[in-house]
Every structure is written in structure tokens, then in C-alpha cells.
Amino acid sequence: MRNTTIPEEEYMLPGHVACLGCGAALAMRYALKALGKKTIVSVPACCWAVIPGVYPYRTLEVPLLYTAFEVTGAAISGIREALEVLGQDDVTVMGWAGDGGTADIGIQALSGAMEREHNVIYVMYDNEAYMNTGVQRSGATPFGAWTTTTPVGKLRIYKKERKKPVAEMMVAQGVPYVATANIAYPEDLIRKLRKAKEMKGPKFIHIYATCPTGWRVPPNKTIEIAKLAVQTRVFPLYEVENGVYKINVKPKERVPVRDYLRMQGRFRHLTEEEVELIQKMVDEEWEKLLLKEEMTNRVRKE
Amino acid sequence: MKTMITGNEAAAWGARLARVKVVSAYPITPQTKVVEKIAEFIANGEMDARYIRVESEHSAMAACISAENTGVRTFTATSAHGLALMHEMLMWAAYARLPIVMAVINRAMAPPWSIWADHQDSMAQRDTGWIQIYSESNQEELDAVLMLYKICEDKDVLLPAMTMMDAFILSHTMEPVDIPDQKLVDDFLPELDLPHRLDINRPAGHGSLIMPEGPVMEYRKAMADAFAGVRDKILKVEEEFREIFGREYGGLVEEYRTEDADAIAVVSSTIASTSKEVVDRMRERGLKVGLARVRYFRPFPHRELREIAKKTDMLGVIDRSYTFGYGGALYAETKGVLYGHSDIPVKNYIMGIGGRDVTPEILEKVFMDMLKIAKDGAVDTEVEWVGLIGDERWSA
Ligand SMILES: Cc1ncc(C[n+]2csc(CCOP(=O)(O)OP(=O)(O)O)c2C)c(N)n1
Ligand SMILES: [Mg+2]
């Protein structure tokens, strides 16, 4: 018997139409390995509305309900309630939306669905911009990034605002299970989705998904960049269960953010000072995260 | 059971009797009592349904869509701004061929804020692919909800429907309503059996990307064909309904004293009730006027209106909304279906905008104007606004 750490069952067939090196495609593949066949997925307008293929072809071995851009939270609420009416409580319902469909236009429906405590999993796969429509800025685009609506230009207009912390917003809302995950850490990703599947109530998972096309990187760098995002602490891996933080990966050495930024065309215009500024932001966020972990664990113990 | 209830309560009773399983709704005046009543029914164990208390009307319709697509009967209700907010999802529901039924309380659109009866909200949704019916009484509203589920869920139809009633005039006014026996309703209305429901044993993409050479145009044509068959289903279901419950409403268009009428008013909703009074009074005085109450706006009653036009010398179309740059929508479409079939004059009266009262006195003036046009054989003004402040011509 082979000793694999990733389930061998496939619920995503070959033949999808994602770009080369698409992190979002990998994310779905892993997620379905974790959740299995008894799953219904709902996707809004986003790259994932295209990736499964053009009618009559399909990639997923589970029912997939396509919906409008801003309604994922509401769509999974409706599916879940209908399944309960039908007595199909053992079916997992997963909303699968991009960062734009989650952090921006869909934030209301997401917040509503989580607040109503439906038994659903909401995944925000994060490629850090509106990729389906050609790399426009989203609220989840990181500080410093070039996008087609923050095109740098002569006036150096890049994304000047911080990334919207959707997972933290969900923690603030009291969502009982909130986690971040990353395609370069598939065992961790699968474990988190399995945990979400076992737990009743609302779950929110934020998955980092490299986008070579939009980030201006070669497709064979997808995993390397995703790994660096964790090692540089740009995208920490953690989970929050009933308000208590647990950081899953604490990098031993401090890999400079510069290594991460300099690999990507979308950050090419940044000066050394700007890179330093981002380093400071990242350090600060990491410090805060450590304190949150310490504080919430202490509160729990007391 | 005969009881006194408001139009809003009648709509809620319709949902309850239809054994709706998922309700997803958001409050807006004057619809609020519909969702409150349903909440009460559920809280008292009188209605076995899930109630999703969504955070917007857009989400209300989105959740109805996904629940219905999972295979259960859904219901929602809204009004004016809520309906406008749903616009995107209305098309989604129709194109996904989901037989959702919704009560719409007709209210004016802002600005300025006005919560009173006006049809602008639902007229603006006439191209979304929904069946649309305008009720004249609370009883008709309740009965319409029951009939619509039966019509919409028919495998040859599979379309959503909205049933309209006038803000306050029906929504908040008590009328005697016969609440049918649950057992009779159960015999009349079978359980939903949606052929294209989400099913883990039949994985499929519902609404996936399609190219221009894919069968997208064919889907639309199939929907157009389904719509073309709705007229006959309406008549058939109403006949069945009459047999079981003893009530009928006249199909797509209810005719009232149209026999040998010199002029016929084409009108919908509660203006029709007032008009009937006026018709009676005028007939007593030997003035031959009649009324065609358009119940279904979608599908539009082509045949019926063409037949009605044959019986008379002119049509006066009363609209409670306005299509800017054209005229009233009921007028525009009535004229459209008459073209090539009838040469009688047609005049449009814009009335009751923003809830402006439409009194019997002012309606009588309209009928007198119609009789004059019938006699002259020509229309003076094609579209006329009636009941404006300070307009002596129409003031009572
Ligand atoms: C109401 C509405 N507005 C705009 C669009 C156009 N649109 C489709 S996908 C998309 C961007 C999606 O971005 P994101 O959610 O981040 O997913 P990604 O494409 O990056 O995977 C936009 C703007 C739409 N479909 N609907
Ligand atoms: Mg994106």
C-alpha cells in the first residue's frame, strides 16, 4: 500500500479550463478530496464559474449551482434549509467564492449567512483581485500591488490600501470556525475542510490561491510563491475555534518579505522603501496575531 | 372558513395552505404583515416551513432560488424598492426555470418617498420572465397564490410568478375571505416534483458557462414556448379550481358588462372595483360602458383584448404607472396587440400615480370622455394624465 497523505479519490475530473498554474483549481481539487461525494457546491461569478468548463462539459463530480456574483452566502443558506426540509442532513453545502465575491460585493450576503448560523462552509479562495474580469483591484488586493485599475502609471498609483481582513471580520462576528489555508500546505488545507465538515454551524475558510496570470509570475512558481507567503508571514496559517486562535505554522527563521515581493511582476514597481514599509506592516500583523493567540488561549483557560 | 382578513394576510394564508417549505423574505412597507403573519404561523406550529430571515431582498430571492433548485416549494413577498433590488435575481429565477411564487404589494418608487399604490415597481419587471397577475380582492389574492403554484410547477411551464395587489387598498384593508379547507387544497395542489433539482446522485452543473453556439438561444426559445402555453394552463387550472372551491375570476381578462358597450375601460387591480361601481351607475342611466379587467399582464392577453375590441367602439386604457418616453405600459401593449386587428380609437389615462386617489367621480368623467371619443371616432390626446392638482378638467 502506498503511504499517501492526500486522499486519492478525485472529485475533480481532468479537463478544466483554468490557466496554467492556477492555484484556485488546486484549491478546489483538495477541498473536494476532503469533503467527498456528498457535497453540493455553489459558485458565483468568478474564475470558478469558468474553470469547470463550457456546457455540456463539467469538471466536478458533485452538483454545482452557479449563482450571481454577490449571493453566495444567500445561495448556500437556501440550499441548506431545503436539504433540512428534505431530511438530507448528511450532505455538506459549500459556497465557493473569490475574494471579490466575498470581501466586496458579496460581503453582505456572507455576513448574513454566517450570522444566521446556517450549517454551511463558506470558502473564499483568494487570488487577490478580480481575475475573471482581467485583474482589477479588490478589497483583498494587498497593499502595493499593481492591478489594471491600479495601474501604477506615471503617478505611481498602485493599491494604496491594506488588504481587507475578511477572516478577522468573521472572527469578530463570532463565526465558530474560521481558518486560513494555502494550496502549498495541502494536508493542512484538507484537515481544515474535514474539520469544517464535521462541525455543525457556519464555517469560514480563507484559502490562499496563487494566480500566475494576474500576479505576473511564471506558472511553475505557483507553489513556491504560496509557500513563501506563509514563510514570510505575509499569509499566516491559523485557525480560530470559538474565538480561540491557533497558529498552525510558525516559521523558524524570518524570511524577508522582499523575497516574496520580488518574485512577482505585480510588485515590480515598488521601491526599496516601499518594500520596507510592507515588511513593517507584515511584522506588525504577525505580532498582533501572536498576541491574539496568547490572549485568547489565556481567556479560554481562565 | 369565512373570516375578515387583510390582503397581506390573504397572501400569507396562500403560502401556508400551499404548504410552502422555505420562506425567505425581507420586510418593507406595505408588505411587512405578509412576512410577520408567516412568522407567526411558523412560530405557532401552524405552518411547517423554514424561514430564512435574510439581510436583503436580493438575498431573499437568491435563497428562494437555491432552495427551490434543491427541490422544495418556496415563497417570498416584497414591494417597490425590494422588488427593484431583486431585479437581477428575478431573471435568474426565470431563466433557471424555477416555479417560485411571490406576492408583490404594488407601491410607488422613490424619490420622493411614497409608500402608496402605484404599479411602477412591477411594470418595471415585466421583462424578467415572470408570470404576472394583478388581484382585485383579498380573496383573489389568496386563490391566486394557490393557482399559481399549480400553474407554475406544471412540467410544461416551470416558470416563476408574482401576484400583485395594491398597497393599502388591499394590503391593509380587511375583506371577507373564505379560507379554503387544507384537505381540499392538498387534493388540488400536489407536492413539488422539480425535474432539475440538485441531487448528489446526479452531479451536474446548473447554469454553467455557455458559448453562443451552445443551446443558449434554444433555452430561451423553450422558455418562450413554455410561456406561450401558460394561457391554456391558466384556464385549465382555474376550471379545476372552480370545480373544487366554487370560485372563478374570468381567466386572463375579466369582462364586466362589455355586452353592446360603446366604450370599454381596460384596467387592472383595484381601480377595476371602483370602475365596476361607476359602470353600474352609468348603465342605470342608459350609458353603455363596460370594463375589461386585465388580470394577467404576463402572459399578455392578446386574444382576449382582440376579442374585446371587436365588441366596442373605443378602448380607454387606465395605467397606474408610466413608461417615460412612451406612455402607460398597459396602453402600449394593448395598442400593440390590436395593431392589424382593430382600428378603433384607444386612449390612455394615467391615474393614481403615487397613490393619488381614484374616485368614482373622476372615473365617471373618464368614462364620459371615452363615450365622446367613441362617438367622434377619434382620440383628442393619446396619453392624458388624469387627476393632477389644479386640473379643472378632471376635478370632481
Ligand atoms: C453584479 C455583477 N457585477 C460585476 C460582474 C462582473 N464580474 C464577474 S466575475 C468578477 C470578478 C470576480 O473576482 P473574484 O470574486 O475575486 O473571483 P476571481 O475571478 O478572481 O476568481 C466581476 C467583477 C458580475 N458578474 N456581476
Ligand atoms: Mg479574485
Side-chain angles (χ1 to χ4, degrees), chain A residues 24 44-49 51 67-70 97-105 125-136 138 140 211, chain B residues 58 88 92:
Chain A
C46 59
C47 285
W48 252 103
I51 294 171
T67 61
F69 195 17
E70 61 281 54
D99 49 294
T102 304
D104 297 339
I105 198 167
Y125 73 91
D126 187 6
N127 51 24
E128 303 196 315
Y130 300 155
M131 294 311 182
N132 186 44
T133 39
V135 202
Q136 294 86 23
S138 83
C211 174
Chain B
H58 196 280
E88 178 192 30
W92 203 285

Side-chain angles (χ1 to χ4, degrees), chain A residues 80-276:
Chain A
R80 169 47 70 204
E81 295 312 302
L83 287 173
E84 307 226 329
V85 168
L86 298 170
Q88 297 180 30
D89 300 12
D90 57 339
V91 176
T92 303
V93 178
M94 175 170 72
W96 184 269
D99 49 294
T102 304
D104 297 339
I105 198 167
I107 193 87
Q108 172 183 316
L110 163 66
S111 179
M114 296 288 115
E115 181 270 332
R116 291 189 301 271
E117 300 186 358
H118 300 281
N119 182 23
V120 293
I121 303 174
Y122 189 113
V123 172
M124 154 169 151
Y125 73 91
D126 187 6
N127 51 24
E128 303 196 315
Y130 300 155
M131 294 311 182
N132 186 44
T133 39
V135 202
Q136 294 86 23
R137 164 211 197 275
S138 83
T141 301
F143 178 93
W146 161 93
T147 67
T148 54
T149 50
T150 51
V152 186
K154 288 193 185 121
L155 301 180
R156 297 186 48 72
I157 294 172
Y158 50 78
K159 167 93 186 269
K160 297 282 167 89
E161 303 81 23
R162 289 184 183 221
K163 184 178 177 74
K164 194 189 270 193
V166 185
E168 292 307 299
M169 291 163 75
M170 293 302 107
V171 174
Q173 243 194 259
V175 176
Y177 187 65
V178 177
T180 65
N182 183 312
I183 48 162
Y185 294 80
E187 289 88 351
D188 178 76
L189 188 156
I190 287 169
R191 181 183 64 77
K192 284 169 177 166
L193 273 141
R194 281 203 171 139
K195 189 162 178 176
K197 178 183 170 177
E198 296 313 318
M199 282 176 74
K200 284 264 176 285
K203 285 85 58 172
F204 179 83
I205 299 183
H206 175 181
I207 304 183
Y208 181 99
T210 318
C211 174
T213 311
W215 296 1
R216 302 295 190 248
V217 299
N220 62 351
K221 297 286 183 197
T222 290
I223 301 299
E224 199 179 325
I225 288 172
K227 219 171 233 163
L228 263 179
V230 174
Q231 283 161 2
T232 55
R233 301 162 182 171
V234 165
F235 187 88
L237 283 180
Y238 64 97
E239 59 198 314
V240 187
E241 224 179 310
N242 297 315
V244 180
Y245 283 69
K246 180 178 184 345
I247 303 174
N248 307 111
V249 177
K250 290 184 180 166
K252 298 242 158 29
E253 16 161 357
R254 183 170 170 282
V255 183
V257 171
R258 178 182 298 101
D259 295 4
Y260 175 73
L261 299 176
R262 290 303 184 210
M263 277 185 79
Q264 304 175 47
R266 63 174 170 157
F267 297 116
R268 183 185 301 136
H269 53 276
L270 295 178
T271 62
E272 272 307 300
E273 290 75 46
E274 286 160 341
V275 169
E276 266 318 300

Side-chain angles (χ1 to χ4, degrees), chain A residues 37-38 54-55 58 61-68 70-71 74-75 78-79 81-86 108-109 112 116, chain B residues 50 52-56 58-59 62-63 66-67 69-70 72 88-89 92 199-200 203-209 215 219:
Chain A
K37 193 174 152 44
K38 283 192 172 178
V54 171
Y55 177 90
R58 67 182 167 85
E61 284 281 68
V62 296
L64 178 54
L65 181 68
Y66 294 79
T67 61
E70 61 281 54
V71 305
I79 297 172
E81 295 312 302
L83 287 173
E84 307 226 329
V85 168
L86 298 170
Q108 172 183 316
R116 291 189 301 271
Chain B
R50 301 264 163 172
I52 311 180
R53 295 159 185 86
V54 279
E55 77 301 328
S56 77
H58 196 280
S59 284
S66 63
N69 217 148
T70 309
V72 307
E88 178 192 30
M89 303 320 291
W92 203 285
D199 181 353
I200 52 164
H206 295 251
S208 54
L209 182 66
Y219 284 145

Side-chain angles (χ1 to χ4, degrees), chain B residues 71-197:
Chain B
V72 307
R73 189 172 287 156
T74 64
F75 178 82
T76 188
T78 192
S79 189
H81 291 260
L83 186 63
L85 186 58
M86 281 182 186
H87 181 68
E88 178 192 30
M89 303 320 291
L90 294 183
M91 279 186 258
W92 203 285
Y95 290 8
R97 303 296 298 272
L98 299 171
I100 299 164
V101 174
M102 164 163 65
V104 171
I105 325 303
N106 280 126
R107 154 186 160 176
M109 294 295 299
W113 284 116
S114 163
I115 55 172
W116 291 275
D118 184 310
H119 295 173
Q120 196 72 36
D121 54 356
S122 57
M123 278 300 168
Q125 306 302 336
R126 66 189 194 267
D127 289 336
T128 51
W130 284 57
I131 292 169
Q132 292 189 313
I133 179 176
Y134 288 83
S135 296
E136 186 201 1
S137 69
N138 296 351
Q139 183 75 63
E140 187 179 11
E141 176 66 21
L142 189 158
D143 293 349
V145 171
L146 301 179
M147 281 189 260
L148 285 172
Y149 277 114
K150 180 133 181 165
I151 294 163
C152 296
E153 291 174 5
D154 188 299
K155 297 261 191 320
D156 297 332
V157 177
L158 294 176
L159 290 165
M162 56 179 90
T163 162
M164 267 65 75
M165 67 173 122
D166 281 337
F168 299 103
I169 302 167
L170 289 188
S171 71
H172 286 61
T173 306
M174 290 217 194
E175 288 184 343
V177 171
D178 183 20
I179 297 175
D181 222 38
Q182 182 69 63
K183 223 195 103 14
L184 290 182
V185 176
D186 291 345
D187 291 342
F188 169 73
L189 185 63
E191 270 190 47
L192 169 68
D193 178 21
L194 188 75
H196 54 297
R197 62 178 170 271

Side-chain angles (χ1 to χ4, degrees), chain B residues 169-395:
Chain B
I169 302 167
L170 289 188
S171 71
H172 286 61
T173 306
M174 290 217 194
E175 288 184 343
V177 171
D178 183 20
I179 297 175
D181 222 38
Q182 182 69 63
K183 223 195 103 14
L184 290 182
V185 176
D186 291 345
D187 291 342
F188 169 73
L189 185 63
E191 270 190 47
L192 169 68
D193 178 21
L194 188 75
H196 54 297
R197 62 178 170 271
L198 296 164
D199 181 353
I200 52 164
N201 298 313
R202 287 184 305 169
H206 295 251
S208 54
L209 182 66
I210 195 160
M211 291 295 160
E213 58 278 11
V216 58
M217 193 163 164
E218 287 67 20
Y219 284 145
R220 297 289 185 274
K221 174 65 167 52
M223 191 168 147
D225 290 346
F227 240 110
V230 171
R231 181 183 178 275
D232 288 347
K233 298 284 181 204
I234 290 170
L235 300 179
K236 194 173 139 256
V237 168
E238 204 178 300
E239 178 57 27
E240 269 177 65
F241 190 87
R242 188 187 60 76
E243 278 167 21
I244 299 178
F245 302 98
R247 286 187 293 275
E248 63 186 323
Y249 295 95
L252 282 76
V253 178
E254 180 205 0
E255 292 189 39
Y256 188 75
R257 305 191 77 167
T258 51
E259 71 285 357
D260 69 310
D262 294 330
I264 293 176
V266 178
V267 59
S268 63
S269 288
T270 55
I271 295 181
S273 328
T274 321
S275 301
K276 285 176 185 172
E277 282 285 322
V278 175
V279 166
D280 287 346
R281 285 189 210 171
M282 292 178 74
R283 283 272 181 177
E284 270 171 34
R285 286 164 22 214
L287 298 166
K288 291 198 280 182
V289 289
L291 184 90
R293 179 170 72 92
V294 173
R295 298 180 65 228
Y296 282 88
F297 191 81
R298 286 288 179 272
F300 196 73
H302 295 66
R303 273 194 250 176
E304 288 79 357
L305 288 171
R306 283 173 191 157
E307 286 306 313
I308 287 164
K310 282 185 198 158
K311 298 181 182 174
T312 190
D313 297 333
M314 82 80 68
L315 293 179
V317 182
I318 300 176
D319 271 287
R320 198 165 202 155
S321 69
Y322 193 72
T323 295
F324 294 92
Y326 195 108
L330 184 54
Y331 163 73
E333 301 209 6
T334 301
K335 268 190 102 170
V337 300
L338 293 187
Y339 184 80
H341 294 264
S342 168
D343 290 328
I344 61 165
V346 182
K347 178 167 171 175
N348 192 195
Y349 302 90
I350 307 297
M351 302 179 78
I353 300 294
R356 177 69 47 87
D357 204 8
V358 179
T359 62
E361 292 72 28
I362 208 165
L363 278 169
E364 183 162 336
K365 290 199 169 195
V366 167
F367 275 109
M368 292 307 290
D369 187 59
M370 285 164 54
L371 285 172
K372 182 175 177 301
I373 292 164
K375 198 155 144 260
D376 297 350
V379 170
D380 49 350
T381 322
E382 286 192 13
V383 181
E384 189 155 356
W385 288 58
V386 175
L388 296 170
I389 296 168
D391 185 348
E392 293 300 318
R393 184 165 174 214
W394 302 102
S395 57

